[in-house]
Amino acid sequence: MGAPEPLPARFAPGARVQVRRADPPGHVRTPWYCRGHAGVIERICGSFANPEELAYNRDGLPAQPLYRVRFSCRELWQDYAGNAGDAVEIEIFQHWLEPA
């Protein structure tokens, strides 16, 4: 019996998503500054074992889709004074994302 199938991708490139606003205890791989903010899926990077589970010596399965999400710097930092087109791309696992 092999490993369970990876979870299906819920989002496609170009989809607007919002990062869950959560502060769970323990090992978290999603930066605080992007939680609660909206961005756009730039690409699907593949499916991987959940590193938040791996940190506790669990198997991290089923594998979670990992996305590269593009955020406008002005979305992340309201007082951002740089170029309006400046962006940050962050790789975020699916369980942290919801439709925007």
Coordinates of all heavy atoms in Angstrom, one line a residue:
M1 N 0.9 -1.2 0.0 CA 0.0 0.0 0.0 C 0.9 1.2 0.0 O 1.7 1.4 0.9 CB -0.9 0.0 1.2 CG -1.9 1.1 1.3 SD -2.9 0.9 2.7 CE -4.5 0.9 1.9
G2 N 0.7 2.1 -1.0 CA 1.6 3.3 -1.1 C 1.0 4.5 -0.4 O 0.0 4.4 0.4
A3 N 1.7 5.6 -0.5 CA 1.3 6.8 0.1 C 0.0 7.3 -0.5 O -0.3 7.0 -1.6 CB 2.4 7.9 -0.1
P4 N -0.8 8.1 0.3 CA -2.1 8.6 -0.2 C -1.8 9.6 -1.3 O -0.7 10.2 -1.4 CB -2.7 9.3 1.0 CG -1.6 9.5 2.0 CD -0.5 8.5 1.7
E5 N -2.8 9.7 -2.2 CA -2.7 10.6 -3.3 C -2.6 12.1 -2.7 O -3.2 12.4 -1.7 CB -3.9 10.5 -4.2 CG -4.0 9.3 -5.0 CD -3.0 9.2 -6.1 OE1 -2.8 10.3 -6.7 OE2 -2.4 8.2 -6.3
P6 N -1.9 13.0 -3.4 CA -1.8 14.3 -3.0 C -3.2 15.0 -3.0 O -4.0 14.5 -3.8 CB -0.8 15.0 -3.9 CG -0.4 14.0 -4.9 CD -1.1 12.7 -4.6
L7 N -3.4 16.0 -2.2 CA -4.7 16.7 -2.3 C -4.8 17.4 -3.7 O -3.7 17.9 -4.2 CB -4.8 17.7 -1.2 CG -4.8 17.2 0.2 CD1 -4.8 18.3 1.2 CD2 -6.1 16.4 0.4
P8 N -6.0 17.5 -4.3 CA -6.1 18.2 -5.5 C -5.9 19.7 -5.3 O -6.2 20.3 -4.3 CB -7.5 17.9 -6.0 CG -8.2 17.5 -4.8 CD -7.2 16.9 -3.8
A9 N -5.3 20.4 -6.4 CA -5.1 21.8 -6.3 C -6.5 22.5 -6.4 O -7.3 22.2 -7.3 CB -4.3 22.3 -7.5
R10 N -6.8 23.4 -5.5 CA -8.0 24.2 -5.5 C -8.0 25.4 -6.3 O -9.0 26.0 -6.6 CB -8.4 24.5 -4.0 CG -8.8 23.4 -3.1 CD -9.1 23.8 -1.7 NE -10.1 24.8 -1.7 CZ -10.2 25.7 -0.7 NH1 -9.4 25.8 0.3 NH2 -11.1 26.7 -0.8
F11 N -6.8 25.9 -6.6 CA -6.6 27.2 -7.2 C -5.8 27.1 -8.5 O -4.9 26.2 -8.6 CB -6.0 28.2 -6.3 CG -6.7 28.3 -5.0 CD1 -6.1 27.8 -3.8 CD2 -7.9 29.0 -4.9 CE1 -6.8 27.9 -2.6 CE2 -8.5 29.1 -3.7 CZ -8.0 28.5 -2.5
A12 N -6.1 27.9 -9.5 CA -5.3 27.9 -10.7 C -4.6 29.2 -10.9 O -4.9 30.2 -10.2 CB -6.3 27.8 -11.9
P13 N -3.5 29.2 -11.7 CA -2.8 30.5 -11.9 C -3.8 31.6 -12.3 O -4.7 31.4 -13.1 CB -1.8 30.2 -13.0 CG -1.5 28.7 -12.8 CD -2.9 28.1 -12.4
G14 N -3.6 32.8 -11.7 CA -4.5 33.9 -12.0 C -5.6 34.1 -11.0 O -6.2 35.1 -10.9
A15 N -5.9 33.1 -10.1 CA -6.9 33.2 -9.1 C -6.5 34.1 -8.0 O -5.4 34.1 -7.6 CB -7.2 31.8 -8.6
R16 N -7.5 34.9 -7.5 CA -7.2 35.7 -6.4 C -7.5 34.9 -5.1 O -8.5 34.2 -5.0 CB -8.1 37.0 -6.4 CG -7.5 38.1 -7.1 CD -8.2 39.4 -7.0 NE -8.3 40.0 -5.7 CZ -7.3 40.7 -5.1 NH1 -6.1 40.7 -5.6 NH2 -7.5 41.2 -3.9
V17 N -6.6 35.0 -4.2 CA -6.7 34.2 -2.9 C -6.4 35.1 -1.8 O -5.8 36.2 -2.0 CB -5.7 33.0 -2.9 CG1 -6.1 32.0 -4.0 CG2 -4.3 33.4 -3.1
Q18 N -6.8 34.7 -0.6 CA -6.5 35.4 0.6 C -5.8 34.4 1.6 O -6.2 33.3 1.7 CB -7.7 36.0 1.3 CG -7.4 36.8 2.5 CD -8.6 37.7 2.9 OE1 -9.5 37.9 2.2 NE2 -8.5 38.1 4.1
V19 N -4.8 34.9 2.2 CA -4.1 34.1 3.2 C -4.9 34.1 4.5 O -5.3 35.2 5.0 CB -2.6 34.6 3.5 CG1 -1.9 33.7 4.5 CG2 -1.9 34.7 2.2
R20 N -5.1 32.9 5.1 CA -5.9 32.8 6.3 C -5.2 33.7 7.4 O -4.0 33.7 7.5 CB -5.9 31.4 6.8 CG -6.8 30.5 6.0 CD -7.1 29.1 6.7 NE -5.8 28.5 7.1 CZ -5.6 28.2 8.4 NH1 -6.4 28.5 9.4 NH2 -4.5 27.6 8.7
R21 N -6.0 34.4 8.2 CA -5.5 35.2 9.3 C -5.6 34.3 10.5 O -6.6 34.1 11.1 CB -6.3 36.4 9.5 CG -5.8 37.4 10.6 CD -6.6 38.6 10.8 NE -6.8 39.4 9.6 CZ -6.0 40.4 9.3 NH1 -4.9 40.6 10.0 NH2 -6.2 41.1 8.2
A22 N -4.5 33.7 10.8 CA -4.4 32.7 11.9 C -3.1 32.8 12.6 O -2.1 33.3 12.0 CB -4.6 31.3 11.4
D23 N -3.0 32.5 13.8 CA -1.8 32.5 14.6 C -1.7 31.2 15.4 O -1.7 31.2 16.7 CB -1.7 33.7 15.5 CG -0.4 33.9 16.2 OD1 0.6 33.3 15.7 OD2 -0.3 34.6 17.2
P24 N -1.6 30.0 14.7 CA -1.6 28.8 15.5 C -0.3 28.6 16.2 O 0.8 29.2 15.8 CB -1.8 27.7 14.4 CG -1.2 28.4 13.2 CD -1.5 29.8 13.3
P25 N -0.3 27.9 17.3 CA 1.0 27.6 18.0 C 1.9 26.7 17.2 O 1.4 25.9 16.4 CB 0.5 27.0 19.3 CG -0.8 26.4 19.0 CD -1.4 27.3 17.9
G26 N 3.1 26.7 17.4 CA 4.0 25.8 16.8 C 4.7 26.3 15.6 O 4.8 27.4 15.4
H27 N 5.2 25.3 14.8 CA 6.0 25.6 13.6 C 5.1 26.0 12.5 O 4.2 25.2 12.0 CB 6.7 24.3 13.2 CG 7.6 24.4 12.0 ND1 8.8 25.0 12.1 CD2 7.4 24.1 10.8 CE1 9.3 25.0 10.9 NE2 8.5 24.5 10.0
V28 N 5.2 27.2 12.0 CA 4.3 27.7 10.9 C 5.2 28.2 9.8 O 6.2 28.9 10.0 CB 3.4 28.8 11.4 CG1 2.6 29.4 10.3 CG2 2.5 28.3 12.6
R29 N 4.9 27.9 8.5 CA 5.7 28.2 7.4 C 5.1 29.4 6.6 O 5.5 29.6 5.4 CB 5.9 27.0 6.5 CG 6.7 25.9 7.1 CD 8.1 26.2 7.3 NE 8.7 26.5 6.0 CZ 9.6 25.8 5.3 NH1 10.0 24.7 5.9 NH2 10.1 26.2 4.2
T30 N 4.2 30.1 7.1 CA 3.5 31.2 6.4 C 3.9 32.5 7.1 O 3.6 32.7 8.3 CB 2.0 31.0 6.3 OG1 1.8 29.8 5.6 CG2 1.3 32.2 5.6
P31 N 4.5 33.5 6.4 CA 5.0 34.7 7.1 C 3.8 35.5 7.7 O 2.7 35.6 7.1 CB 5.6 35.5 6.0 CG 6.0 34.5 4.9 CD 4.9 33.4 5.0
W32 N 4.0 36.0 8.9 CA 3.0 36.8 9.6 C 2.5 37.9 8.7 O 1.3 38.2 8.7 CB 3.6 37.3 10.9 CG 2.7 38.2 11.6 CD1 2.7 39.5 11.7 CD2 1.5 37.7 12.4 NE1 1.7 40.0 12.5 CE2 0.9 38.9 12.9 CE3 1.0 36.5 12.7 CZ2 -0.2 38.9 13.7 CZ3 -0.1 36.5 13.5 CH2 -0.7 37.6 14.0
Y33 N 3.4 38.6 8.0 CA 3.1 39.9 7.3 C 2.1 39.7 6.2 O 1.5 40.6 5.7 CB 4.3 40.7 6.9 CG 5.2 40.0 5.9 CD1 4.9 40.0 4.5 CD2 6.3 39.2 6.3 CE1 5.7 39.4 3.6 CE2 7.1 38.6 5.3 CZ 6.8 38.7 4.0 OH 7.6 38.1 3.1
C34 N 1.9 38.4 5.7 CA 1.0 38.2 4.6 C -0.3 37.7 5.0 O -1.3 37.6 4.2 CB 1.6 37.4 3.5 SG 1.8 35.6 3.9
R35 N -0.5 37.3 6.3 CA -1.7 36.7 6.7 C -2.8 37.8 6.7 O -2.7 38.9 7.2 CB -1.6 36.1 8.1 CG -0.6 35.0 8.2 CD -0.4 34.4 9.6 NE 0.9 33.8 9.6 CZ 1.4 33.3 10.7 NH1 0.7 33.4 11.9 NH2 2.5 32.7 10.7
G36 N -4.0 37.3 6.2 CA -5.1 38.2 6.0 C -5.1 39.1 4.8 O -6.0 39.8 4.5
H37 N -4.0 39.0 4.0 CA -3.9 39.8 2.8 C -4.2 39.0 1.5 O -4.1 37.7 1.5 CB -2.5 40.4 2.6 CG -2.2 41.4 3.7 ND1 -2.7 42.7 3.6 CD2 -1.6 41.3 4.9 CE1 -2.3 43.4 4.7 NE2 -1.6 42.5 5.5
A38 N -4.6 39.7 0.4 CA -5.0 39.0 -0.8 C -3.9 39.1 -1.8 O -3.1 40.1 -1.8 CB -6.3 39.7 -1.4
G39 N -3.8 38.1 -2.6 CA -2.8 38.1 -3.7 C -3.3 37.2 -4.9 O -4.5 36.8 -4.9
V40 N -2.4 37.0 -5.8 CA -2.8 36.2 -7.0 C -1.9 35.0 -7.2 O -0.7 35.2 -7.0 CB -2.7 37.2 -8.3 CG1 -3.0 36.4 -9.5 CG2 -3.7 38.4 -8.1
I41 N -2.5 33.9 -7.5 CA -1.7 32.7 -7.7 C -0.8 32.9 -9.0 O -1.4 33.2 -10.1 CB -2.6 31.5 -7.9 CG1 -3.4 31.2 -6.7 CG2 -1.7 30.2 -8.3 CD1 -2.7 30.8 -5.5
E42 N 0.5 32.8 -8.8 CA 1.4 33.0 -10.0 C 1.6 31.7 -10.6 O 1.7 31.6 -11.8 CB 2.7 33.6 -9.4 CG 3.6 34.1 -10.5 CD 4.6 33.0 -11.0 OE1 5.0 32.2 -10.2 OE2 4.9 33.0 -12.2
R43 N 1.8 30.6 -9.8 CA 1.9 29.3 -10.3 C 1.7 28.2 -9.3 O 1.8 28.5 -8.1 CB 3.3 29.1 -10.9 CG 4.4 28.9 -9.9 CD 5.8 28.7 -10.5 NE 6.3 29.9 -10.9 CZ 7.6 30.1 -11.1 NH1 8.5 29.1 -11.0 NH2 8.1 31.2 -11.5
I44 N 1.5 27.0 -9.7 CA 1.4 25.8 -8.8 C 2.8 25.2 -8.8 O 3.3 24.9 -9.9 CB 0.4 24.8 -9.2 CG1 -1.0 25.5 -9.3 CG2 0.4 23.6 -8.3 CD1 -2.1 24.7 -9.9
C45 N 3.5 25.1 -7.7 CA 4.8 24.6 -7.6 C 4.9 23.1 -7.6 O 6.0 22.5 -7.7 CB 5.6 25.2 -6.4 SG 5.6 27.0 -6.5
G46 N 3.8 22.4 -7.3 CA 3.8 21.0 -7.1 C 3.1 20.6 -5.8 O 2.6 21.5 -5.1
S47 N 3.2 19.4 -5.4 CA 2.6 18.9 -4.1 C 3.7 18.3 -3.3 O 4.5 17.6 -3.8 CB 1.5 17.9 -4.3 OG 0.4 18.5 -4.9
F48 N 3.7 18.7 -2.0 CA 4.8 18.3 -1.1 C 4.2 17.9 0.3 O 3.2 18.4 0.6 CB 5.8 19.4 -1.0 CG 6.4 19.9 -2.3 CD1 5.8 20.9 -3.0 CD2 7.5 19.2 -2.8 CE1 6.3 21.3 -4.2 CE2 8.0 19.6 -4.0 CZ 7.4 20.7 -4.7
A49 N 4.9 17.1 1.0 CA 4.5 16.9 2.4 C 4.5 18.2 3.2 O 5.3 19.1 2.9 CB 5.6 15.9 3.0
N50 N 3.5 18.3 4.0 CA 3.3 19.5 4.8 C 4.4 19.7 5.8 O 4.6 18.9 6.7 CB 1.9 19.4 5.5 CG 1.6 20.6 6.3 OD1 2.4 21.4 6.6 ND2 0.3 20.7 6.7
P51 N 5.2 20.8 5.6 CA 6.4 21.0 6.5 C 6.0 21.3 7.9 O 6.8 21.1 8.8 CB 7.1 22.1 5.8 CG 6.1 22.8 5.1 CD 5.1 21.8 4.6
E52 N 4.8 21.8 8.1 CA 4.3 22.1 9.5 C 4.1 20.8 10.2 O 4.3 20.8 11.5 CB 3.1 23.0 9.4 CG 3.4 24.3 8.8 CD 2.1 25.2 8.6 OE1 1.0 24.7 8.9 OE2 2.3 26.2 8.0
E53 N 3.7 19.8 9.5 CA 3.6 18.4 10.2 C 4.9 17.7 10.3 O 5.2 17.1 11.3 CB 2.6 17.6 9.4 CG 1.2 18.1 9.4 CD 0.6 18.0 10.8 OE1 0.7 16.9 11.4 OE2 0.0 18.9 11.3
L54 N 5.8 17.9 9.2 CA 7.1 17.2 9.3 C 7.9 17.7 10.4 O 8.7 17.0 11.0 CB 7.8 17.5 8.0 CG 7.3 16.9 6.7 CD1 8.0 17.4 5.5 CD2 7.3 15.3 6.8
A55 N 7.7 19.0 10.8 CA 8.5 19.6 11.9 C 8.2 18.8 13.3 O 9.0 18.8 14.2 CB 8.2 21.0 12.1
Y56 N 7.1 18.1 13.3 CA 6.7 17.3 14.5 C 6.9 15.8 14.3 O 6.4 15.0 15.0 CB 5.3 17.6 14.9 CG 5.1 19.1 15.4 CD1 4.6 20.0 14.6 CD2 5.6 19.4 16.7 CE1 4.5 21.4 15.0 CE2 5.5 20.8 17.1 CZ 5.0 21.7 16.2 OH 4.9 23.0 16.6
N57 N 7.8 15.5 13.3 CA 8.1 14.1 13.0 C 6.9 13.3 12.6 O 6.8 12.1 12.8 CB 8.8 13.5 14.2 CG 9.7 12.3 13.7 OD1 10.2 12.3 12.6 ND2 9.9 11.4 14.6
R58 N 5.9 14.0 12.0 CA 4.8 13.3 11.4 C 5.1 13.1 9.9 O 6.0 13.8 9.4 CB 3.5 14.1 11.6 CG 3.2 14.3 13.1 CD 1.9 15.1 13.3 NE 1.7 15.4 14.7 CZ 1.4 16.6 15.1 NH1 1.2 17.6 14.3 NH2 1.3 16.9 16.4
D59 N 4.2 12.4 9.2 CA 4.5 12.1 7.8 C 4.2 13.2 6.8 O 4.6 13.3 5.7 CB 3.9 10.8 7.3 CG 2.4 10.8 7.3 OD1 1.8 11.8 7.5 OD2 1.8 9.7 7.2
G60 N 3.3 14.2 7.3 CA 3.0 15.3 6.4 C 2.1 15.0 5.3 O 1.9 15.8 4.3
L61 N 1.5 13.8 5.3 CA 0.6 13.4 4.2 C -0.9 13.5 4.6 O -1.2 13.5 5.7 CB 0.9 11.9 3.9 CG 2.3 11.7 3.5 CD1 2.6 10.2 3.3 CD2 2.7 12.4 2.2
P62 N -1.7 13.7 3.6 CA -1.4 13.7 2.2 C -0.6 15.0 1.8 O -0.7 16.0 2.5 CB -2.8 13.7 1.5 CG -3.7 14.4 2.5 CD -3.1 14.0 3.8
A63 N 0.1 14.9 0.7 CA 0.9 16.0 0.2 C -0.1 17.2 -0.1 O -1.2 17.0 -0.6 CB 1.7 15.6 -1.1
Q64 N 0.4 18.4 0.2 CA -0.3 19.6 0.0 C 0.2 20.3 -1.3 O 1.4 20.5 -1.5 CB -0.1 20.5 1.2 CG -0.8 20.1 2.4 CD -2.2 20.7 2.5 OE1 -2.5 21.6 1.9 NE2 -3.0 20.0 3.3
P65 N -0.7 20.9 -2.1 CA -0.3 21.7 -3.2 C 0.4 23.0 -2.6 O 0.0 23.5 -1.6 CB -1.6 22.1 -3.9 CG -2.5 21.0 -3.6 CD -2.2 20.6 -2.2
L66 N 1.5 23.4 -3.3 CA 2.2 24.6 -2.9 C 2.1 25.6 -4.0 O 2.3 25.2 -5.2 CB 3.7 24.2 -2.7 CG 4.7 25.3 -2.3 CD1 4.3 25.9 -1.0 CD2 6.1 24.9 -2.4
Y67 N 1.8 26.8 -3.7 CA 1.6 27.8 -4.7 C 2.6 29.0 -4.5 O 2.9 29.3 -3.4 CB 0.2 28.4 -4.6 CG -1.0 27.5 -4.7 CD1 -1.5 26.8 -3.6 CD2 -1.6 27.2 -5.9 CE1 -2.5 25.9 -3.7 CE2 -2.6 26.3 -6.1 CZ -3.1 25.7 -4.9 OH -4.1 24.8 -5.1
R68 N 2.9 29.6 -5.6 CA 3.6 30.9 -5.5 C 2.6 31.9 -5.7 O 1.9 32.0 -6.7 CB 4.7 31.0 -6.6 CG 5.4 32.3 -6.4 CD 6.7 32.4 -7.2 NE 7.6 31.4 -6.6 CZ 8.7 31.0 -7.3 NH1 9.0 31.5 -8.4 NH2 9.5 30.1 -6.7
V69 N 2.4 32.8 -4.7 CA 1.4 33.8 -4.6 C 2.1 35.2 -4.7 O 3.1 35.5 -4.0 CB 0.6 33.8 -3.3 CG1 -0.5 34.8 -3.4 CG2 0.0 32.3 -3.2
R70 N 1.6 36.0 -5.6 CA 2.2 37.4 -5.8 C 1.3 38.4 -5.1 O 0.1 38.4 -5.3 CB 2.2 37.7 -7.3 CG 2.8 39.1 -7.6 CD 2.9 39.5 -9.1 NE 3.8 38.6 -9.7 CZ 3.6 37.9 -10.8 NH1 2.5 37.9 -11.4 NH2 4.6 37.1 -11.3
F71 N 1.9 39.2 -4.3 CA 1.3 40.2 -3.5 C 1.8 41.6 -3.9 O 3.0 41.8 -4.0 CB 1.6 40.1 -2.0 CG 1.1 38.8 -1.4 CD1 1.9 37.7 -1.4 CD2 -0.2 38.7 -0.9 CE1 1.4 36.5 -0.9 CE2 -0.7 37.6 -0.3 CZ 0.1 36.4 -0.3
S72 N 1.0 42.5 -4.1 CA 1.4 43.9 -4.3 C 2.0 44.4 -3.0 O 1.5 44.1 -1.9 CB 0.2 44.8 -4.6 OG 0.5 46.1 -4.4
C73 N 3.1 45.1 -3.0 CA 3.7 45.6 -1.8 C 2.8 46.5 -1.1 O 2.7 46.6 0.1 CB 5.1 46.3 -2.1 SG 6.4 45.1 -2.6
R74 N 2.0 47.3 -1.8 CA 1.0 48.2 -1.2 C -0.1 47.4 -0.5 O -0.7 48.0 0.4 CB 0.5 49.2 -2.3 CG 1.6 50.1 -2.7 CD 1.0 51.2 -3.5 NE 2.1 52.2 -3.8 CZ 2.0 53.2 -4.6 NH1 0.9 53.4 -5.3 NH2 3.1 54.0 -4.8
E75 N -0.4 46.2 -1.0 CA -1.4 45.4 -0.3 C -0.8 44.9 1.1 O -1.5 44.9 2.1 CB -1.7 44.1 -1.1 CG -2.5 43.0 -0.4 CD -3.9 43.4 0.0 OE1 -4.5 44.2 -0.7 OE2 -4.4 42.8 1.0
L76 N 0.5 44.6 1.1 CA 1.1 44.1 2.3 C 1.4 45.2 3.3 O 1.3 45.0 4.6 CB 2.3 43.3 2.0 CG 2.2 42.0 1.2 CD1 3.5 41.4 0.9 CD2 1.3 41.0 1.9
W77 N 1.8 46.3 2.8 CA 2.3 47.4 3.7 C 1.6 48.7 3.3 O 1.9 49.3 2.2 CB 3.8 47.6 3.6 CG 4.5 46.3 4.1 CD1 4.6 45.8 5.3 CD2 5.2 45.4 3.2 NE1 5.3 44.7 5.3 CE2 5.7 44.4 4.0 CE3 5.4 45.3 1.8 CZ2 6.4 43.3 3.6 CZ3 6.1 44.2 1.3 CH2 6.6 43.2 2.2
Q78 N 0.6 49.1 4.0 CA -0.3 50.3 3.6 C 0.5 51.6 3.4 O 0.1 52.4 2.6 CB -1.4 50.5 4.6 CG -2.3 49.3 4.8 CD -3.0 48.8 3.5 OE1 -3.5 49.6 2.7 NE2 -2.9 47.5 3.2
D79 N 1.6 51.7 4.1 CA 2.4 52.9 3.9 C 3.6 52.8 2.9 O 4.5 53.6 2.9 CB 2.9 53.4 5.3 CG 3.8 52.4 6.0 OD1 3.8 51.2 5.5 OD2 4.4 52.7 7.0
Y80 N 3.6 51.7 2.1 CA 4.6 51.5 1.2 C 4.8 52.6 0.2 O 3.8 53.0 -0.5 CB 4.4 50.1 0.4 CG 5.5 49.8 -0.5 CD1 6.7 49.2 0.0 CD2 5.4 50.0 -1.9 CE1 7.7 48.9 -0.9 CE2 6.4 49.6 -2.7 CZ 7.6 49.1 -2.2 OH 8.6 48.8 -3.0
A81 N 5.9 53.2 0.1 CA 6.2 54.4 -0.7 C 6.9 54.1 -2.0 O 7.2 55.0 -2.8 CB 6.9 55.4 0.1
G82 N 7.2 52.8 -2.3 CA 7.9 52.5 -3.5 C 7.0 52.5 -4.8 O 5.8 52.9 -4.7
N83 N 7.5 51.9 -5.8 CA 6.8 51.9 -7.1 C 5.5 51.1 -6.9 O 5.5 50.1 -6.3 CB 7.7 51.2 -8.1 CG 7.1 51.2 -9.5 OD1 6.0 50.7 -9.7 ND2 7.9 51.7 -10.5
A84 N 4.4 51.6 -7.5 CA 3.1 51.0 -7.4 C 3.1 49.5 -8.0 O 2.3 48.7 -7.6 CB 2.0 51.8 -8.1
G85 N 4.0 49.2 -8.9 CA 4.1 47.9 -9.5 C 4.9 46.9 -8.7 O 5.0 45.7 -9.1
D86 N 5.6 47.3 -7.6 CA 6.4 46.4 -6.8 C 5.6 45.3 -6.2 O 4.5 45.5 -5.8 CB 7.1 47.2 -5.7 CG 8.2 48.1 -6.2 OD1 8.6 48.0 -7.4 OD2 8.7 48.9 -5.4
A87 N 6.2 44.1 -6.2 CA 5.4 42.9 -5.7 C 6.4 42.0 -5.0 O 7.6 42.1 -5.1 CB 4.8 42.2 -6.8
V88 N 5.8 41.2 -4.1 CA 6.5 40.1 -3.4 C 5.9 38.8 -3.8 O 4.6 38.7 -3.8 CB 6.4 40.4 -1.9 CG1 7.0 39.2 -1.1 CG2 7.1 41.7 -1.5
E89 N 6.7 37.8 -4.0 CA 6.1 36.5 -4.3 C 6.5 35.5 -3.1 O 7.7 35.5 -2.7 CB 6.6 35.9 -5.6 CG 6.1 36.7 -6.8 CD 6.5 36.1 -8.1 OE1 7.3 35.2 -8.2 OE2 6.0 36.7 -9.1
I90 N 5.5 34.8 -2.6 CA 5.7 34.0 -1.5 C 5.2 32.6 -1.8 O 4.0 32.5 -2.3 CB 5.0 34.5 -0.2 CG1 5.4 36.0 0.1 CG2 5.3 33.6 1.0 CD1 4.6 36.7 1.1
E91 N 5.9 31.5 -1.5 CA 5.4 30.2 -1.6 C 4.6 29.8 -0.4 O 5.1 29.8 0.7 CB 6.5 29.2 -2.0 CG 7.1 29.5 -3.3 CD 8.2 28.7 -3.7 OE1 8.7 27.9 -2.9 OE2 8.7 28.8 -4.9
I92 N 3.3 29.4 -0.6 CA 2.3 29.2 0.5 C 1.6 27.9 0.2 O 1.1 27.7 -0.9 CB 1.4 30.4 0.6 CG1 2.1 31.7 0.9 CG2 0.4 30.1 1.7 CD1 1.2 32.9 0.9
F93 N 1.5 27.0 1.2 CA 0.7 25.8 1.0 C -0.8 26.1 1.0 O -1.3 27.0 1.6 CB 1.1 24.8 2.1 CG 2.4 24.1 1.9 CD1 3.6 24.6 2.3 CD2 2.4 22.9 1.2 CE1 4.8 24.0 2.0 CE2 3.6 22.3 0.9 CZ 4.8 22.8 1.3
Q94 N -1.5 25.2 0.3 CA -2.9 25.3 0.1 C -3.7 25.5 1.4 O -4.7 26.3 1.4 CB -3.4 24.1 -0.7 CG -4.9 24.1 -1.0 CD -5.3 23.1 -2.0 OE1 -5.1 23.4 -3.2 NE2 -5.7 21.9 -1.6
H95 N -3.4 24.8 2.5 CA -4.2 24.9 3.7 C -4.2 26.3 4.3 O -5.0 26.6 5.2 CB -3.8 23.8 4.7 CG -2.5 23.9 5.2 ND1 -1.3 23.5 4.5 CD2 -2.0 24.5 6.4 CE1 -0.3 23.8 5.3 NE2 -0.7 24.3 6.4
W96 N -3.3 27.2 3.8 CA -3.3 28.6 4.3 C -4.1 29.5 3.4 O -4.2 30.7 3.7 CB -1.9 29.1 4.4 CG -1.3 28.7 5.7 CD1 -0.5 27.6 5.9 CD2 -1.3 29.4 6.9 NE1 -0.1 27.6 7.3 CE2 -0.6 28.7 7.9 CE3 -2.0 30.6 7.3 CZ2 -0.5 29.1 9.2 CZ3 -1.9 31.0 8.6 CH2 -1.2 30.2 9.5
L97 N -4.6 29.0 2.3 CA -5.3 29.9 1.3 C -6.8 29.7 1.2 O -7.3 28.5 1.4 CB -4.7 29.7 -0.1 CG -3.2 29.9 -0.2 CD1 -2.7 29.5 -1.6 CD2 -2.9 31.4 0.1
E98 N -7.5 30.7 0.9 CA -8.9 30.7 0.7 C -9.3 31.6 -0.5 O -8.5 32.5 -0.8 CB -9.7 31.0 2.0 CG -9.3 32.3 2.6 CD -9.8 32.5 4.0 OE1 -10.0 31.4 4.7 OE2 -10.0 33.6 4.4
P99 N -10.4 31.4 -1.1 CA -10.7 32.3 -2.2 C -10.9 33.7 -1.7 O -11.4 34.0 -0.6 CB -12.1 31.8 -2.7 CG -12.2 30.4 -2.2 CD -11.4 30.4 -1.0
A100 N -10.4 34.7 -2.5 CA -10.5 36.1 -2.1 C -11.8 36.7 -2.7 O -12.4 36.3 -3.6 CB -9.4 36.9 -2.7

